[in-house]
Amino acid sequence: MTQPLFMVGARGCGKTTVGQALARVLGYAFTDTDEMLWRSTGKTVAEIVAREGWTGFRARESEILTSVTQGNVVVATGGGIILSAANRGFMRARGTVVYLYASAQELSRRLQAYPEEDQRPSLTGKPMIEEIAEVLAAREKLYQEVAHHVLDASRPPDDVVCAILQQLYPSAAS
Ligand code: ADP
Ligand code: MG
């Protein structure tokens, strides 16, 4: 299979961590739409949202998604990339989409353990666990809809990588 792999899921589910490890195993390039956004604008997500609103941020994110999609690449996406029907259609048509699922409790635990790693403006202004649960509930259907494969991402990163490889290459000896 020589096509882009898209990692989707909520903030903190491990798209960057697992995506990077997966790319290493497959010998694929790795790219992260959040990281690319930072590199192309010199601004954090919070700064872009403050200046251009979520609409401006989403437009930039879609541009980056299409520009990084070429060849053997693992693309870690932003948690909200699936909100756009165009992005969902693009990812399904151009590659294989992997949804990393983790519960709101698990996501909250990770984001509280490493709060500085992924600073995002609050979407709702509510306490973290409530906001995560609410955002997950609103997006779950879209993650499921866009995914070719759904993986339990609450296990350690290496286990998640193995599970993804088994789903992608079921006939390969492990
Ligand atoms: P995302 O890119 O989906 O927002 P990250 O890969 O940045 O998620 O992971 C968020 C935080 O959770 C990081 O601190 C990372 O080390 C940790 N993490 C990621 N995957 C796992 C996992 N499977 N088990 C435990 N911690 C994880
Ligand atoms: Mg990430």
Side-chain angles (χ1 to χ4, degrees), residues 1-140:
M1 197 184 302
T2 58
Q3 56 177 0
L5 290 171
F6 299 101
M7 316 301 295
V8 303
R11 174 158 66 121
C13 71
K15 299 178 295 293
T16 299
T17 308
V18 171
Q20 243 162 1
L22 183 64
R24 214 175 299 126
V25 173
L26 292 172
Y28 278 28
F30 172 79
T31 185
D32 192 307
T33 58
D34 286 342
E35 168 78 21
M36 292 296 292
L37 211 57
W38 159 253
R39 278 208 247 157
S40 69
T41 64
K43 295 187 182 69
T44 64
V45 173
E47 285 166 346
I48 296 171
V49 170
R51 190 179 286 217
E52 303 173 15
W54 281 104
T55 310
F57 169 76
R58 296 289 174 219
R60 287 182 180 276
E61 191 176 43
S62 295
E63 258 173 54
I64 282 173
L65 176 66
T66 52
S67 73
V68 300
T69 301
Q70 42 189 313
N72 292 347
V73 63
V74 176
V75 182
T77 63
I81 207 146
I82 47 79
L83 292 173
S84 147
N87 289 349
R88 296 197 302 278
F90 177 83
M91 290 191 288
R92 269 198 83 86
R94 294 293 300 275
T96 301
V97 185
V98 176
Y99 169 34
L100 300 179
Y101 172 79
S103 66
Q105 286 77 8
E106 174 68 16
L107 295 170
S108 166
R109 200 182 55 73
R110 289 181 193 173
L111 295 176
Q112 273 164 1
Y114 306 96
E116 72 290 347
E117 276 182 20
D118 197 1
Q119 293 281 347
R120 286 296 172 98
S122 167
L123 290 168
T124 61
K126 292 186 178 162
M128 188 185 272
I129 178 83
E130 271 178 50
E131 174 174 312
I132 290 172
E134 205 165 283
V135 171
L136 254 191
R139 296 179 177 177
E140 172 69 14

Side-chain angles (χ1 to χ4, degrees), residues 1 3-9 22 92 95-101 143-153 160 163-170:
M1 197 184 302
Q3 56 177 0
L5 290 171
F6 299 101
M7 316 301 295
V8 303
L22 183 64
R92 269 198 83 86
T96 301
V97 185
V98 176
Y99 169 34
L100 300 179
Y101 172 79
Y143 287 130
Q144 293 283 353
E145 184 186 306
V146 71
H148 293 101
H149 302 284
V150 180
L151 276 296
D152 174 5
V160 181
I164 294 171
L165 291 170
Q166 277 168 14
Q167 288 217 10
L168 291 177
Y169 308 101

